[in-house]
Amino acid sequence: IEQITRGPDYHHFYGYIGHVGNTPWNRSGRYMVALRSNFDDHMPEPHEAADIVLLEIESGYTVEVIDRTLAWNPQQGTMLYWNPEHPETQLFFNDRDPESQKVFTVLYDVEQRKRLKEYRYEDTPVGNGGVAQGGGWFLAINYGRLSRLRAVTGYNKAYDWTKGVLHPENDGIFRINVASGEKKLIVSFAQLAQALHPTHPGVEDTALFINHTLWNRDGDRIYFFARGNFGTRAKRINAPFTVNPDGSDLRFHELHIGGHPEWGMGHQMLGEVEGRQVIYDTDQKKVVGTIGTEEIIPDPEGDIALSRDGRWLVNGWGDEENNQYVLYRLADGAYVKTPPYSRQGQAHGDLRQDQAPCWSPDGSKVYFPAFADDGTRQMF
């Protein structure tokens, strides 16, 4: 285990779980991309930018600032994704206009050190929520609405065109064509409220939001959560859905498989049910297998990521002070656990330090965030 970034002047972190192929490494492993900030004690204000940095691995993870963003948070960063169509040189991240506070997504080229494209939509200013694993598209959501309804996943005080509307018809999940910029609303909050009405009668009075828009490996299905009332557990809505990329076949899944599930192969998800790490089939809507044991994987609800070749699962879990990881080989059940790594009591709230493991593209390394000995968030 190696610490690859250093303080004490800056915090460095990638900011999002490595599910659905998401990774800080470019395809060859020459670079890692991350965020850098000089504070860690509050949610960023609209004017407080984070640096977007490249770490060049061969030169000892030297840090180069390549851009800055005003759309970020400690838990999910700025939704950095390498572009699957150009995984060596292009990446996506979110930003916002400093005057209008409208969020948009950037496509950036690290060879040219410049922005190639900005996906700005004046009527519905949305940001990247997940890139198709095969490339060509990304899903976009309203981070201004998230800022109001679940601050930990939103961008503080970002513009929200749906303020005061519980179930807007013009907001939900958008699909963006990377090449053309064409935008399509594939699921609306109005549709979700209607789908939830039979099982969640309180939905009529609940403002909904969306988290974790996850595209499967084959690119033909999306899994996400429709949520509401996250300030109170008594009336909380936390409803899993799947939908096809064109907006067809919207399905509510009665069985909840944990807050941070991962796509396996085909239409199977990896998640948690009754304290077990399970394989859940989204076609059959049922558990079709289990992974490991309670001793091997003590908290299947933790952050998980499957390696690109599908051979290894990493699971992260934690207590109030530390995070820990297990790497599990699916073929034969071999596993190894890491020592605990500090989260310095940041186990809850908007500044929490989640486990957020990410695989390298070749499956030989796992990135994870932790607090270093000097008290700064760093990359390991």
Side-chain angles (χ1 to χ4, degrees):
I1 296 177
E2 178 184 12
Q3 182 178 337
I4 61 174
T5 59
R6 298 284 189 277
D9 297 326
Y10 292 103
H11 307 268
H12 299 86
F13 59 98
Y14 183 61
Y16 199 43
I17 310 167
H19 50 203
V20 296
N22 193 18
T23 177
W25 282 273
N26 73 338
R27 180 59 56 84
S28 68
R30 178 184 177 185
Y31 293 117
M32 295 178 75
V33 66
L35 291 182
R36 187 179 80 169
S37 172
N38 61 3
F39 66 89
D40 184 50
D41 59 351
H42 61 275
M43 284 288 279
E45 292 292 331
H47 66 280
E48 292 181 307
D51 296 328
I52 297 172
V53 299
L54 274 185
L55 310 177
E56 187 169 46
I57 295 170
E58 288 185 2
S59 60
Y61 299 98
T62 54
V63 178
E64 177 190 352
V65 178
I66 58 171
D67 210 316
R68 307 191 83 200
T69 176
L70 291 168
W72 65 285
N73 60 54
Q75 195 212 23
Q76 294 185 350
T78 184
M79 297 300 285
L80 286 160
Y81 272 76
W82 290 95
N83 181 4
E85 295 182 304
H86 300 277
E88 192 67 10
T89 59
Q90 292 181 10
L91 56 90
F92 297 97
F93 60 86
N94 292 332
D95 200 357
R96 77 166 110 187
D97 186 281
E99 301 299 325
S100 67
Q101 302 302 320
K102 291 184 176 181
V103 172
F104 58 93
T105 297
V106 176
L107 179 61
Y108 186 92
D109 190 282
V110 300
E111 276 192 335
Q112 302 179 55
R113 299 295 198 270
K114 73 173 186 179
R115 298 185 178 199
L116 300 179
K117 196 166 191 171
E118 294 180 345
Y119 299 85
R120 293 179 182 249
Y121 305 99
E122 289 301 311
D123 58 337
T124 56
V126 288
N128 172 37
V131 178
Q133 295 195 51
W137 310 86
F138 66 89
L139 301 171
I141 55 179
N142 178 359
Y143 285 91
R145 187 174 180 90
L146 282 173
S147 177
R148 286 194 300 110
L149 300 177
R150 198 184 183 209
V152 66
T153 57
Y155 303 143
N156 191 15
K157 301 172 185 173
Y159 177 83
D160 174 19
W161 71 95
T162 69
K163 191 172 182 179
V165 184
L166 297 181
H167 313 131
E169 296 182 355
N170 63 344
D171 191 13
I173 300 176
F174 296 84
R175 186 192 66 189
I176 311 294
N177 184 297
V178 172
S180 68
E182 179 187 0
K183 171 183 59 119
K184 178 185 178 180
L185 181 65
I186 62 170
V187 179
S188 73
F189 284 109
Q191 285 177 276
L192 295 174
Q194 184 177 14
L196 288 172
H197 176 73
T199 54
H200 296 74
V203 72
E204 293 94 340
D205 304 314
T206 303
L208 297 176
F209 61 92
I210 289 168
N211 277 148
H212 300 307
T213 48
L214 308 177
W215 220 312
N216 72 344
R217 292 171 181 238
D218 297 334
D220 64 351
R221 187 159 294 179
I222 295 155
Y223 188 96
F224 66 95
F225 292 105
R227 292 173 163 172
N229 287 329
F230 259 52
T232 169
R233 289 193 176 274
K235 298 181 179 180
R236 177 177 289 190
I237 293 174
N238 194 9
F241 280 87
T242 54
V243 68
N244 294 341
D246 63 359
S248 63
D249 196 19
L250 178 66
R251 298 186 190 186
F252 167 57
H253 291 262
E254 294 82 359
L255 184 61
H256 194 275
I257 58 169
H260 299 102
E262 160 74 304
W263 277 108
M265 301 302 179
H267 291 166
Q268 293 183 342
M269 298 283 301
L270 310 180
E272 179 272 341
V273 175
E274 297 178 351
R276 299 171 298 154
Q277 198 86 76
V278 301
I279 303 170
Y280 171 77
D281 190 293
T282 61
D283 290 328
Q284 302 179 62
K285 287 190 172 183
K286 70 177 185 179
V287 172
V288 294
T290 60
I291 298 171
T293 64
E294 292 182 19
E295 179 186 1
I296 296 170
I297 303 176
D299 183 10
E301 168 72 5
D303 292 353
I304 60 174
L306 185 67
S307 63
R308 291 299 297 160
D309 60 12
R311 295 177 61 223
W312 287 86
L313 179 73
V314 58
N315 166 284
W317 75 97
D319 55 24
E320 292 298 314
E321 293 299 325
N322 298 294
N323 287 326
Q324 198 167 348
Y325 302 85
V326 59
L327 289 86
Y328 182 89
R329 188 164 61 198
L330 296 173
D332 59 2
Y335 69 95
V336 62
K337 291 182 181 179
T338 71
Y341 274 78
S342 174
R343 68 198 303 186
Q344 287 199 345
Q346 296 281 27
H348 311 284
D350 296 343
L351 304 179
R352 72 176 191 255
Q353 178 62 81
D354 285 349
Q355 297 86 41
C358 301
W359 286 98
S360 62
D362 65 358
S364 68
K365 301 179 186 70
V366 172
Y367 152 81
F368 66 95
F371 280 90
D373 291 340
D374 63 8
T376 57
R377 289 182 195 241
Q378 299 300 338
M379 303 173 68
F380 291 77

